């Protein structure tokens, strides 16, 4: 009997919450202040986690990438197309570090130290995405959406033009990278502004590795293709 009462109470509470969120009329915050503007502005900040996707020439152990979080911030320019579509430009600065760990098999009979098995790849990106945002109809004071688009990034820490390579401890990457991006989030309409948490995945198009002078380099010789991928957690204020 006690179990039945608990189940009935849970069902009643769930129905009540659902009614409050989706059917019960609430006071609408900022009904026309932002969404009806042709152009609107804002800013964002958040956390990121970058990774690499590798393709190899030979079947050796994978190069491991340590998980680590970076942070980012930037501005938003939003152009309203209609009630459900917006075109967005979100320039930002992104800071991240990736540690690459090599297996001893990459060095064969060559002498190596523990420092040779690790490469720290620090990156500072100027990230320039152009995105289409597709929103649902506003429900009380929130509105879910999905978005997608393309972007380019300038890596200020790429070392692309550095004459030293991994034999001198310098891991090098291309300065310019091109991505496609997909994500989702929810707009929350507060009293004075719109707050938006969202999550987004990014995937690069191009090979970003600058190879060492030695074609048999243990650090780059077995890499056929190296592409960035990552996850962004954004908090937007408009």
């Amino acid at each position: 009997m006690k179990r039945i009462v608990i189940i009935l109470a849970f069902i009643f509470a769930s129905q009540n919450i659902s009614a409050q969120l989706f059917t019960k009329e609430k006071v609408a915050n900022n009904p026309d202040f932002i969404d009806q503007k042709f152009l609107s502005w804002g800013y964002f900040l958040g956390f990121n986690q970058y990774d690499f996707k590798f393709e190899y020439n030979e079947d050796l152990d994978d190069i491991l990438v340590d998980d680590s979080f970076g942070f980012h911030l930037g501005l938003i320019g939003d152009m309203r197309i209609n009630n459900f579509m917006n075109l967005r430009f979100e320039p930002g600065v992104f800071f991240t570090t990736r540690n690459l760990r090599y297996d001893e098999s990459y060095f064969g009979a060559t002498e190596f130290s523990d420092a040779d098995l690790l490469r720290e790849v620090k990156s500072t990106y100027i990230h320039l995405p152009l995105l289409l945002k597709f929103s649902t109809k506003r429900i009380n004071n929130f509105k879910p959406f999905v978005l997608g688009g393309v972007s380019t990034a300038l890596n200020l820490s790429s070392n692309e033009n550095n004459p030293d390579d991994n034999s001198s401890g310098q891991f090098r990457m291309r300065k310019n990278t091109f991505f496609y991006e997909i994500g989702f989030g929810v707009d929350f309409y507060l009293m004075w502004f719109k707050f938006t948490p969202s999550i987004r995945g990014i995937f690069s198009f191009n090979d970003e590795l600058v190879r060492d002078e030695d074609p048999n380099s243990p650090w780059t010789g077995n890499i056929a293709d190296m592409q960035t991928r990552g996850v962004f957690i954004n908090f937007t204020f408009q």
Side-chain angles (χ1 to χ4, degrees), residues 32-115:
D32 300 307
F33 181 68
I34 295 173
D35 285 358
Q36 298 306 314
K37 285 187 173 183
F38 178 65
L39 294 176
S40 60
W41 315 96
Y43 65 93
F44 67 90
L45 49 86
F47 304 97
N48 58 71
Q49 185 177 72
Y50 281 87
D51 194 2
F52 285 121
K53 177 185 177 183
F54 291 102
E55 298 290 340
Y56 302 101
N57 294 316
E58 298 179 15
D59 188 17
L60 300 177
D61 287 345
D62 287 344
I63 300 170
L64 302 180
V65 184
D66 290 346
D67 292 336
S68 62
F69 283 94
F71 69 96
H72 54 261
L73 68 163
L75 302 174
I76 295 172
D78 185 285
M79 184 181 77
R80 179 180 181 274
I81 298 174
N82 57 40
N83 287 336
F84 304 102
M85 291 179 60
N86 296 69
L87 182 66
R88 298 170 72 91
F89 180 55
E90 300 184 357
V93 183
F94 289 66
F95 305 92
T96 188
T97 299
R98 286 163 282 189
N99 290 322
L100 307 185
R101 298 190 180 274
Y102 288 81
D103 189 78
E104 296 178 2
S105 60
Y106 279 78
F107 294 85
T110 306
E111 292 186 6
F112 62 90
S113 65
D114 289 342

Side-chain angles (χ1 to χ4, degrees), residues 170-215:
Q170 296 295 325
F171 190 90
R172 301 179 298 177
M173 296 173 59
R174 302 290 180 193
K175 282 184 179 179
N176 294 104
T177 308
F178 301 92
F179 301 92
Y180 67 91
E181 308 189 12
I182 53 174
F184 62 92
V186 180
D187 289 329
F188 288 97
Y189 295 83
L190 305 182
M191 184 64 68
W192 301 110
F193 62 92
K194 183 166 66 174
F195 170 67
T196 306
S198 65
I199 186 167
R200 190 183 311 169
I202 67 163
F203 310 89
S204 68
F205 290 112
N206 57 300
D207 181 15
E208 299 170 60
L209 182 65
V210 176
R211 287 161 177 81
D212 295 339
E213 294 297 326
D214 179 5

